[in-house]
Amino acid sequence: MTPFHFTPGRLPLLVSIPHAGTQLTPEVEAGLSEAARGLPDTDWHIPQLFDFVRDLGASVLIGHFSRFVIDLNRPPDDQPLYTTATTGLYPETLFDGSPTFAPGKTPTAAQRAGYLADIWQPYHQQIQRELARLKAEYGYALLFDAHSIASVIPRLFEGRLPDLNIGTNGGQSCDAAVTQGLEAVCAAQNRYSWVVNGRFKGGYITRAYGRPEEKVQAVQLELAQLNYMDETPPFAWRQERASALQSVLKPLVKSFIERGKPA
């Protein structure tokens, strides 16, 4: 199976969806713990939730493999992105702290090196190619990294996560005008709570490619899953909730497109 699915668009916008994949390698599938077999830390249904970006004209990149094989939003040297609890390039624990693999069933170093070369590298090479293409065609490029997570995970954050979590690497991955536009969209509604650079400031993708000084603007959006799906197995899609959430997601993406264009 190819490591990703890519659809080119007609706008200077690339939407990256690195954590929706459920494909497993044979050794990972054989080694998963009982707690991990249902792939609980997946960004369920995110391609469906953001399908509207295709109509807008965005390019879309979707990872095929589960983060339990390799996490596409972590640096290749596996350096921690947060000082608080997190998971690494090759997750050894679930978000709740349970082991990802049964005892003695962790993939070997050689197998994981293969995942880096055959899954992680191609995904990031595609990001780089597309951003370069967009810059060459439009003079600038926009990268929107789409994520979701269960709304309550005590190991990772206290209480319930805000509904909309915008990350700009502390303001370094995009211009202030971009952030201000996203904040204005969030402030114009009162259904969903929101925060900028709270618990989720942006993972490796946002931090590595967001270079406003080089005309590449990047933002990450981490969504609380209860607003569009069930957070317990089988993680069912909930159309009514999803439609309501999309009424805010669409203006957010449109604001990014409008504010991301150089003056």
Side-chain angles (χ1 to χ4, degrees):
M1 188 173 181
T2 57
F4 61 79
H5 178 76
F6 173 70
T7 306
R10 58 184 187 278
L11 286 177
L13 171 64
L14 170 62
V15 176
S16 162
I17 304 175
H19 287 158
T22 57
Q23 182 75 12
L24 301 172
T25 63
E27 54 274 9
V28 169
E29 184 171 18
L32 288 178
S33 66
E34 285 300 317
R37 290 195 178 281
L39 308 183
D41 299 342
T42 302
D43 290 12
W44 297 106
H45 311 296
I46 286 293
Q48 183 177 355
L49 187 67
F50 280 91
D51 193 57
F52 66 87
V53 301
R54 300 179 189 274
D55 294 332
L56 294 178
S59 299
V60 181
L61 177 63
I62 304 170
H64 281 163
F65 281 86
S66 169
R67 69 191 306 160
F68 294 161
V69 177
I70 190 167
D71 193 325
L72 299 171
N73 201 29
R74 296 293 184 270
D77 61 4
D78 203 17
Q79 290 299 305
L81 294 176
Y82 295 98
T83 57
T84 52
T86 186
T87 55
L89 182 66
Y90 307 106
E92 299 288 350
T93 61
L94 306 183
F95 288 160
D96 66 5
S98 304
T100 305
F101 294 94
K105 294 294 187 71
T106 303
T108 67
Q111 288 167 334
R112 285 178 163 174
Y115 307 160
L116 183 66
D118 299 335
I119 300 171
W120 193 99
Q121 291 286 0
Y123 190 89
H124 285 268
Q125 289 165 355
Q126 184 60 45
I127 291 178
Q128 294 159 13
R129 281 194 298 267
E130 182 61 5
L131 293 178
R133 182 189 75 82
L134 296 178
K135 280 189 66 176
E137 182 170 347
Y138 299 99
Y140 69 104
L142 308 174
L143 174 60
F144 189 96
D145 207 40
H147 296 262
S148 72
I149 194 169
S151 59
V152 178
I153 304 179
R155 178 173 171 265
L156 298 187
F157 46 82
E158 294 183 3
R160 178 179 147 176
L161 189 70
D163 298 314
L164 309 169
N165 300 267
I166 297 168
T168 67
N169 192 23
Q172 298 183 62
S173 68
C174 66
D175 290 331
V178 171
T179 303
Q180 291 163 4
L182 299 174
E183 289 174 334
V185 172
C186 292
Q189 56 81 46
N190 56 19
R191 179 165 183 160
Y192 302 104
S193 59
W194 59 280
V195 68
V196 176
N197 293 315
R199 170 59 178 82
F200 296 97
K201 297 178 174 61
Y204 177 76
I205 291 171
T206 306
R207 302 183 196 201
Y209 302 113
R211 296 285 184 268
E213 69 280 3
E214 299 175 11
K215 300 189 183 303
V216 179
Q217 312 272 357
V219 299
Q220 174 180 293
L221 180 61
E222 187 87 51
L223 299 169
Q225 290 178 334
L226 82 170
N227 290 302
Y228 71 92
M229 58 171 275
D230 291 342
E231 293 187 344
T232 54
F235 307 112
W237 168 268
R238 295 299 177 185
Q239 183 61 54
E240 184 175 351
R241 291 184 227 163
S243 295
L245 182 58
Q246 286 170 331
S247 71
V248 177
L249 297 181
K250 291 176 184 179
L252 277 173
V253 174
K254 289 179 179 178
S255 174
F256 186 40
I257 294 169
E258 294 166 2
R259 293 293 189 105
K261 185 176 182 178

